[in-house]
Amino acid sequence: MADRYTLRLPALEVRQGRRRIYCFAVDGKKLHSFAAVSRIRRDDSEQLQGYQRPEVLSHIRGIRKYLESGGAMLPNAIVVAFDERVQFTPSLMIPSDTVDYSVAGELVIPVDESLSEAEKPAWLVDGQQRSAAIRDADVAEFPVAVVGFITDSEEEQRSQFILVNSTRALPKGLIHELLPDTTGHLPDAYVRRRLPAQLMTRLNGKRESPFFRIIASPTAPDGYIKDNSVLKMVEHSLFEGALYQYRNPVDGTGDVDRMLTHLIGFWSVVREVFPEEWSKPPRSSRLTHGVGIQALGFVMDTLTEDVPAEGVKTVELRRTLESLRPHVAWTSGTWEFSDGERRWNNLQNTPNDVRQLTSHLLKLLRKRKR
């Protein structure tokens, strides 16, 4: 077979409002000749590329074993996103009594096996592991049902990926990293987290940020601070704390650059005051633990609520945080709370413990001001 050819597949165009989807069948062995697996990653400028979770090899092996057993059936459709190179040609032989929301025809897909993954005319939105299992299975062919849609925007593909997978649990870290680079309708809970997720990913991607590459995410797998801890800290500040001053409460947008300046300013001082504690993972330091990140987030809101972003990182802030050092037990010792002592690592990421640690730190700061 030539390196370049055209696949012409019988298909059904289904109209859903202003959108069109295409239902067709194709030999699963040919799927990867035109459809790429766009694994999530970041390029050299920290821009998000792709949207798929990494392949789960054990799951793929299980599907492959099933496919090779004989009598196998995969009834669920694989979902792909096409670019504008893929065309649908309606059939001229349409019965007069057909429904008006679906049209039979032919899907025309150009195939060039010399293209790189990034240059292929289709991307797998759902069915990555099934398609990998079919590709690797010791079978001559295995036709599969496919549903496709045409778009020229990878941002929209990410949105569809989240929506298609929203009925079953996606890794939360994957959702958080995808949210800032999506367009189109999303559930309200995701919309509320889009701006916090954008700030978190930029904190994780800027070299001048104290959080640079240390927030655990699909593109920063060696990070040791939980992404959800940072998200909660940022989200509270956006809606009720220091970052609210940069936010438009009507449409939810905001001055992201100044928000980042504010966050980087405060947390850079935290890192300077507690360098050893900041460099350790949560099991060894309650500073990088969810309880510490959230409690110090409340401290940030209290100390800098009316401070402009450019004035956050000051000598006075450093002195203020340094005054806490004799009274904190991030990595050893005991916390001397007003209602009793607790071992340093006994604090957990629970609302009660976050509240207790926050109260402790703010009380110490109030005493300093007297």
Side-chain angles (χ1 to χ4, degrees):
M1 185 178 291
D3 286 343
R4 297 183 182 180
Y5 58 96
T6 300
L7 272 178
R8 297 181 178 273
L9 302 170
L12 190 68
E13 180 187 71
V14 180
R15 294 192 288 275
Q16 295 180 330
R18 64 180 181 84
R19 301 303 303 268
R20 303 287 188 272
I21 62 172
Y22 303 95
C23 309
F24 61 99
V26 67
D27 179 5
K29 290 287 189 181
K30 296 180 180 178
L31 194 59
H32 287 264
S33 66
F34 62 84
V37 177
S38 188
R39 294 179 182 82
I40 187 169
R41 65 194 183 283
R42 290 194 179 271
D43 60 21
D44 292 339
S45 60
E46 288 296 320
Q47 295 301 305
L48 186 68
Q49 305 291 328
Y51 47 85
Q52 282 279 15
R53 71 191 99 184
E55 292 182 359
V56 181
L57 296 180
S58 60
H59 189 198
I60 292 172
R61 284 194 295 269
I63 300 173
R64 175 181 174 179
K65 185 176 181 180
Y66 167 67
L67 294 174
E68 294 173 347
S69 65
M73 179 175 67
L74 294 179
N76 294 338
I78 288 171
V79 180
V80 299
F82 293 116
D83 66 21
E84 68 278 1
R85 286 173 286 178
V86 175
Q87 302 291 323
F88 175 77
T89 305
S91 171
L92 297 178
M93 303 293 293
I94 303 175
S96 59
D97 60 347
T98 187
V99 295
D100 62 1
Y101 52 77
S102 65
V103 177
E106 188 176 61
L107 206 60
V108 182
I109 305 173
V111 178
D112 184 347
E113 295 183 348
S114 66
L115 295 178
S116 67
E117 287 288 290
E119 297 171 314
K120 291 179 179 179
W123 297 267
L124 281 163
V125 173
D126 187 51
Q128 175 188 13
Q129 293 165 29
R130 280 170 285 158
S131 66
I134 295 169
R135 177 196 62 205
D136 298 339
D138 187 17
V139 294
E141 66 174 9
F142 195 91
V144 290
V146 182
V147 172
F149 61 94
I150 296 175
T151 177
D152 59 1
S153 165
E154 192 167 292
E155 289 77 15
E156 184 179 2
Q157 292 160 19
R158 295 188 188 110
S159 176
Q160 291 298 324
F161 175 67
I162 290 175
L163 292 171
V164 164
N165 287 279
S166 63
T167 56
R168 62 182 186 275
L170 275 175
K172 281 207 167 60
L174 179 56
I175 293 177
H176 297 157
E177 190 144 22
L178 292 174
L179 278 177
D181 298 280
T182 60
T183 58
H185 175 77
L186 288 172
D188 289 344
Y190 291 158
V191 172
R192 179 182 171 91
R193 280 217 153 173
R194 180 183 277 153
L195 182 53
Q198 181 182 4
L199 289 166
M200 181 189 70
T201 55
R202 289 189 62 181
L203 282 172
N204 211 21
K206 292 179 76 71
R207 291 189 178 277
E208 63 268 33
S209 166
F211 289 98
F212 180 62
R213 310 303 285 171
I214 64 172
I215 303 173
S217 71
T219 59
D222 295 329
Y224 51 84
I225 295 179
K226 294 290 181 64
D227 60 347
N228 202 46
S229 301
V230 179
L231 272 175
K232 285 182 178 179
M233 178 270 292
V234 171
E235 189 171 358
H236 178 273
S237 190
L238 277 169
F239 288 91
E240 301 181 47
L243 298 183
Y244 183 85
Q245 62 183 304
Y246 314 112
R247 182 174 162 268
N248 183 336
V250 177
D251 61 13
T253 61
D255 190 335
V256 173
D257 288 337
R258 296 195 75 205
M259 291 177 185
L260 283 170
T261 299
H262 198 120
L263 288 163
I264 290 172
F266 178 82
W267 289 97
S268 292
V269 177
V270 171
R271 181 179 61 179
E272 291 169 7
V273 173
F274 305 107
E276 184 179 351
E277 296 90 336
W278 187 255
S279 67
K280 294 181 177 181
R283 67 177 179 276
S284 303
S285 172
R286 279 317 186 249
L287 175 58
T288 57
H289 193 277
V291 68
I293 295 294
Q294 290 184 74
L296 277 175
F298 288 114
V299 169
M300 176 187 75
D301 292 335
T302 300
L303 295 178
T304 67
E305 189 167 16
D306 299 318
V307 179
E310 299 75 16
V312 170
K313 188 176 181 181
T314 62
V315 173
E316 179 56 31
L317 176 62
R318 183 184 177 105
R319 288 173 180 162
T320 299
L321 294 182
E322 282 178 339
S323 72
L324 296 175
R325 176 167 282 285
H327 310 284
V328 294
W330 297 125
T331 59
S332 63
T334 57
W335 296 95
E336 296 182 4
F337 297 132
S338 58
D339 57 352
E341 293 185 351
R342 293 182 65 178
R343 182 174 166 78
W344 75 272
N345 58 355
N346 186 247
L347 291 183
Q348 301 302 322
N349 189 17
T350 64
N352 284 340
D353 283 4
V354 171
R355 194 159 39 243
Q356 185 177 36
L357 179 56
T358 301
S359 176
H360 174 67
L361 297 176
L362 293 179
K363 185 181 295 185
L364 291 169
L365 294 175
R366 285 193 293 270
K367 285 183 178 179
R368 179 180 181 271
K369 285 186 176 181
R370 292 173 186 170

